[in-house]
Amino acid sequence: MSADQDGPEDRLRRFATIWSRALFPVTATSLTRPEFESRLLPLARQLRAALEERVFRAAASEHVGAALVEAHCTEPEALSRTLDVVDAYLVLYCGAAADEGTAAETGDREELRARCSRIQHAVAAGFARALRERTRVEQEAISRAALDARGTVAEALHASEARFRAVFHGAAIGIGIADLRGTVLEVNDALVRMFGGLEHQLRGRNVAEWTHPDDSPHVWRLYEELVRGDREHYRVEKAFYRPDGTVLWTNLTVSLLRDADGVPQYQLALMEDTTERRLLNLRLRYEATHDALTGLPNRTLFFERLEKALSAGGGARFGLCYLDLDGFKTVNDSLGHAAGDRLLVEVADRLQACATAPGEMVARLGGDEFVALTTGPDTEHEVDELAGRIMNALATPIRVEGRELTVRGSIGIVEGPAAERGAAEVLRSADITMYRAKHAGGNRYELADPEADARAITRHGLTTALPVALERGEFFIEYQPLVHLGDGSVRGAEALVRWLHPQHGVISPDRFIPLAEHTGLIVPLGRWVLEQSVRQARAWEAGTGADQASGPLRVNVNLSPCQLTHPGLVSDTVEILERAGLAPGSLCLEVTESALIGADDDLLKPLRRLAEMGVDIALDDFGTGYSNLANLRRLPVSILKLDRAFTQGMQHFPADPVDLKIIEGIVSLAHSLDLAVTVEGVETGAQADQLRELGCDTAQGWYYARPGPPDRLHELALADAR
């Protein structure tokens, strides 16, 4: 019967059978193998529960590791075989998909494999902890036995010798005795097995021969203090070379044995083999500090190296290249994530080949973001060369799934002396600089600029403060009058929103409107501006009444491209006008020329509906885009607002005749299409006179008034009425 046809309990027993067959040959037990298998069955059941539970708890798996030690499975190979069995068979025989008898989805299988890996780690941790505790108890027992034997040797020599020999030869940890000159006198069987040799290869050797390159400096200092009698014992982690050249890692405890008169006689060494545990820790450390896909150091290890480089003194410097691939999302979307992964692996290999000099490293921070670090006294020159090598390495197309992909990248470079900035600040500066390179067109590198960084940080701060600013009422509106060029009367005003920031003071719209459009806040902000402006226009209307000979004051409100595509534009405008009691003809919505270039009927439909209701639509900043005059007949606009670029050309006398001809032509065309013309940026009387002669209808600018509170416009309108 196949594993898929067995019931859950049958598969569990099969797993326990495989486990017992692998473990029994390396276990010191008096049980038969079937009895040993019965003892493993509850532990297998615990492993299955750990694999299936919703929230992983390491304690259950750690208990399995500890139970192996209690069952006398103390050999390092016992742990290794257990981990191999769990890795190979736990998901197969105990996974939820196997219980249901159906093929598991790929995601479920990967989740079970990940859970299985965590179970292995927990079992190893529990095994190591229990073995360490057992070793400690045995060490204490041996130490007590050795010390007791020293005091009672005269009274019970034979009995104590028997007890000592029993402990000495039966202990699971390695024990060795040497004289004060370092000559090894006795070794037990466990120590011989640990060194993988014969007893005669250890007995008679001198302790001083067992040096290793990884010995810390204080190891042999402690040893000298002990043999001189200045120290009773010490405990260190030490590596030894076995006869076959392999390395044995141990927890070494060395104690000084004295005679009845207190004179030092021997040294007693207790060794616990920690090689497997160390290899496991190194493997876990590698997995925690390296990227699973590319094998490069990950963010954790990179920050460790960067912090070490930044903490160096003595005139040390560093250079950092922050790389982001241009258009990588397109590869994932078009070819799939598997192709994107292969592309990242190839890019990682090329980057690794670029950073081979001493003091250089490459890491992957995540996604398609990589960093390259260089250290040394001349990083100002070296980091430029490193960035150049990276750009050259990316220049060659990469072949993925039969296609040659051209890879482009944007790099931000930060270079400077160590010990001046923290790792987070350096990485933030590099990130900002990288995006500056990307916004400049990509496929290039830029050097960090403190002033540009400060502007980017300020911009980010404003972006995060925008949502709460609207809730706190930090926005206000100023109004700039619209003046009729024929009689000089005030016909209305343009509403201009301002932000009164708690720290930065009044912020102009050219700084925060792009941020609001980027975050989507422009829609609620634009609705608020429309509500306030319509309410103000109604207040002007109520205040001037019939005294305003030219009719009610009209308010102009700007619409952003995001608002144009918002489905609630028409309904919101109608609701706001009806609630305020303002006629549609008293409202003008300004839309930039660039927002309507190439606009289709779906985009123009809301504007047409508003125009049919009587709301005026003005084409703002006319002349800054393509100025496709033929498109004017299909746009539902009634007003053209000439950009201030036209009036700037009229500041000097006499005005440029070409500019005058252009304005005259635009005005003539607009009037032939029944469109009114408004001019922005009028700053002098001479400009106003020329624009009047050219036939422009209304104007606004500092010549008439700067943007200000609504009451001032009311006063101007009343003055005109008188």
Side-chain angles (χ1 to χ4, degrees):
M1 180 180 293
S2 67
D4 291 339
Q5 296 172 333
D6 291 339
E9 192 62 22
D10 293 329
R11 289 194 295 274
L12 180 67
R13 291 186 178 277
R14 181 173 295 184
F15 173 79
T17 300
I18 295 172
W19 191 7
S20 67
R21 288 174 178 171
L23 204 57
F24 187 79
V26 294
T27 300
T29 178
S30 60
L31 300 176
T32 64
R33 198 199 62 76
E35 292 173 339
F36 184 71
E37 179 180 337
S38 298
R39 186 163 185 176
L40 291 180
L41 187 60
L43 303 182
R45 189 168 283 108
Q46 293 182 37
L47 292 177
R48 183 177 66 179
L51 186 67
E52 296 176 345
E53 63 184 351
R54 291 175 60 87
V55 178
F56 179 73
R57 294 179 299 170
S61 301
E62 291 175 357
H63 177 266
V64 173
L68 292 177
V69 176
E70 294 176 3
H72 305 291
C73 304
T74 57
E75 289 292 331
E77 191 174 358
L79 175 60
S80 176
R81 293 191 178 191
T82 294
L83 296 180
D84 289 343
V85 170
V86 171
D87 182 68
Y89 298 103
L90 182 60
V91 173
L92 178 63
Y93 288 103
C94 300
D99 289 344
E100 297 169 2
T102 61
E105 297 290 338
T106 301
D108 295 336
R109 176 65 62 180
E110 291 299 324
E111 183 178 354
L112 288 177
R113 294 301 307 168
R115 175 65 64 86
C116 182
S117 178
R118 297 179 68 183
I119 289 173
Q120 293 177 64
H121 296 167
V123 169
F127 182 91
R129 189 178 298 112
L131 186 59
R132 183 170 60 250
E133 180 62 23
R134 174 172 173 166
T135 302
R136 184 187 63 78
V137 173
E138 291 178 346
Q139 288 177 347
E140 290 178 355
I142 293 171
S143 298
R144 285 196 300 271
L147 294 174
D148 292 341
R150 183 185 62 186
T152 60
V153 65
E155 293 84 7
L157 180 59
H158 296 291
S160 63
E161 179 70 15
R163 287 196 301 272
F164 175 76
R165 287 296 173 186
V167 173
F168 185 82
H169 290 290
I173 63 172
I175 305 174
I177 301 175
D179 59 24
L180 298 182
R181 292 187 299 275
T183 302
V184 177
L185 304 176
E186 292 286 345
V187 292
N188 71 345
D189 296 339
L191 188 64
V192 173
R193 289 195 302 270
M194 287 167 57
F195 276 85
L198 301 175
E199 185 175 345
H200 67 81
Q201 294 177 315
L202 300 177
R203 186 182 287 114
R205 290 190 62 179
N206 194 280
V207 173
E209 300 176 14
W210 279 320
T211 60
H212 190 275
D214 291 334
D215 287 344
S216 57
H218 71 284
V219 169
W220 294 103
R221 187 185 71 250
L222 294 174
Y223 174 78
E224 294 295 336
E225 292 176 358
L226 183 129
V227 296
R228 287 200 309 265
D230 298 336
R231 176 180 293 274
E232 294 300 316
H233 57 82
Y234 66 88
R235 182 184 179 90
V236 294
E237 184 180 32
K238 180 168 173 23
F240 296 88
Y241 281 119
R242 294 189 177 100
D244 61 359
T246 59
V247 178
L248 167 70
W249 280 93
T250 68
N251 279 334
L252 173 65
T253 302
V254 183
S255 301
L256 184 65
L257 301 182
R258 300 177 182 268
D259 61 15
D261 298 325
V263 178
Q265 293 292 315
Y266 304 102
Q267 48 180 314
L268 174 68
L270 305 178
M271 295 185 188
E272 176 193 0
D273 186 352
T274 62
T275 305
E276 291 293 332
R277 187 193 315 164
R278 183 179 179 84
L279 292 176
L280 178 60
N281 289 337
L282 290 176
R283 175 185 172 189
L284 296 177
R285 166 67 178 172
Y286 181 87
E287 292 177 353
T289 57
H290 286 74
D291 178 52
L293 176 65
T294 64
L296 292 179
N298 62 10
R299 177 182 290 269
T300 300
L301 183 55
F302 168 72
F303 264 93
E304 291 180 4
R305 298 282 182 85
L306 180 59
E307 288 173 349
K308 182 179 179 180
L310 294 177
S311 63
R317 300 181 70 87
F318 76 96
L320 175 66
C321 296
Y322 193 116
L323 168 68
D324 183 270
L325 301 183
D326 298 334
F328 177 72
K329 184 177 183 298
T330 305
V331 176
N332 275 341
D333 293 343
S334 59
L335 301 182
H337 288 274
D341 288 347
R342 285 192 288 275
L343 178 64
L344 290 175
V345 171
E346 177 62 26
V347 169
D349 291 342
R350 295 188 182 187
L351 296 180
Q352 188 70 62
C354 293
T356 57
E360 294 181 346
M361 75 166 291
V362 173
R364 182 190 180 202
L365 297 186
D368 60 337
E369 296 181 344
F370 299 85
V371 285
L373 176 67
T374 180
T375 57
D378 190 26
T379 55
E380 187 172 3
H381 173 69
E382 292 172 354
V383 73
D384 284 340
E385 288 190 346
L386 179 58
R389 292 198 301 270
I390 291 174
M391 297 302 291
N392 289 335
L394 296 179
T396 304
I398 296 176
R399 192 168 187 82
V400 176
E401 293 189 350
R403 302 186 183 185
E404 286 193 348
L405 303 180
T406 300
V407 182
R408 294 158 48 95
S410 301
I411 299 178
I413 299 177
V414 178
E415 192 279 334
E420 288 190 357
R421 290 178 287 181
E425 183 182 356
V426 168
L427 199 63
R428 179 178 61 182
S429 178
D431 188 25
I432 292 173
T433 307
M434 179 271 294
Y435 275 106
R436 185 151 49 87
K438 190 176 288 290
H439 293 156
N443 197 31
R444 58 190 294 155
Y445 61 84
E446 296 280 350
L447 298 178
D449 179 4
E451 294 183 0
D453 288 357
R455 290 193 298 270
I457 293 172
T458 301
R459 190 162 56 248
H460 176 73
L462 294 178
T463 302
T464 56
L466 267 172
V468 294
L470 186 58
E471 297 176 2
R472 294 174 179 173
E474 296 177 3
F475 293 99
F476 67 97
I477 300 175
E478 291 184 331
Y479 298 87
Q480 186 172 36
L482 287 163
V483 178
H484 191 272
L485 287 170
D487 57 15
S489 62
V490 176
R491 296 299 177 88
E494 180 179 0
L496 301 171
V497 63
R498 305 285 190 262
W499 182 4
L500 182 58
H501 193 279
Q503 285 79 38
H504 301 289
V506 177
I507 301 176
S508 60
D510 58 337
R511 292 184 61 189
F512 67 83
I513 289 297
L515 303 180
E517 291 179 343
H518 179 70
T519 58
L521 188 70
I522 191 65
V523 173
L525 177 59
R527 192 181 195 282
W528 178 84
V529 172
L530 183 62
E531 287 179 337
Q532 299 299 314
S533 303
V534 167
R535 189 179 297 117
Q536 184 58 57
R538 182 66 185 91
W540 287 332
E541 184 179 278
T544 56
D547 295 332
Q548 181 70 20
S550 58
L553 296 176
R554 185 181 62 189
V555 65
N556 287 27
V557 180
N558 292 283
L559 287 183
S560 75
C562 291
Q563 289 176 274
L564 287 177
T565 58
H566 189 265
L569 174 62
V570 176
S571 59
D572 287 350
T573 304
V574 171
E575 178 188 353
I576 291 170
L577 289 171
E578 291 179 349
R579 189 165 59 245
L582 185 71
S586 297
L587 173 64
C588 177
L589 298 178
E590 297 188 8
V591 184
T592 61
E593 179 189 5
S594 59
L596 295 183
I597 291 177
D600 56 17
D601 289 340
D602 289 337
L603 182 62
L604 296 178
K605 188 180 298 182
L607 293 180
R608 289 197 178 103
R609 291 179 58 189
L610 291 171
E612 292 169 357
M613 291 167 42
V615 175
D616 283 329
I617 307 297
L619 192 60
D620 195 12
D621 295 338
F622 186 78
T624 60
Y626 292 105
S627 300
N628 190 343
L629 302 179
N631 273 341
L632 289 177
R633 60 185 179 183
R634 57 183 293 268
L635 299 178
V637 299
S638 55
I639 300 170
L640 292 185
K641 290 193 71 175
L642 296 185
D643 186 70
R644 64 181 63 248
F646 292 104
T647 56
Q648 287 176 351
M650 301 169 59
Q651 289 180 349
H652 304 287
F653 185 84
D656 188 338
V658 176
D659 287 343
L660 297 180
K661 286 293 184 181
I662 293 175
I663 296 175
E664 184 179 12
I666 293 176
V667 171
S668 176
L669 175 65
H671 286 171
S672 67
L673 296 175
D674 294 329
L675 301 179
V677 178
T678 300
V679 186
E680 297 179 306
V682 180
E683 299 181 359
T684 66
Q687 290 175 329
D689 292 339
Q690 285 184 319
L691 292 170
R692 185 185 308 110
E693 293 176 2
L694 292 172
C696 296
D697 300 294
T698 55
Q700 65 184 96
W702 288 4
Y703 171 66
Y704 301 106
R706 293 180 179 236
D711 293 342
R712 188 179 63 178
L713 185 78
H714 187 204
E715 294 171 0
L716 292 173
L718 289 177
D720 291 339
R722 290 194 294 270

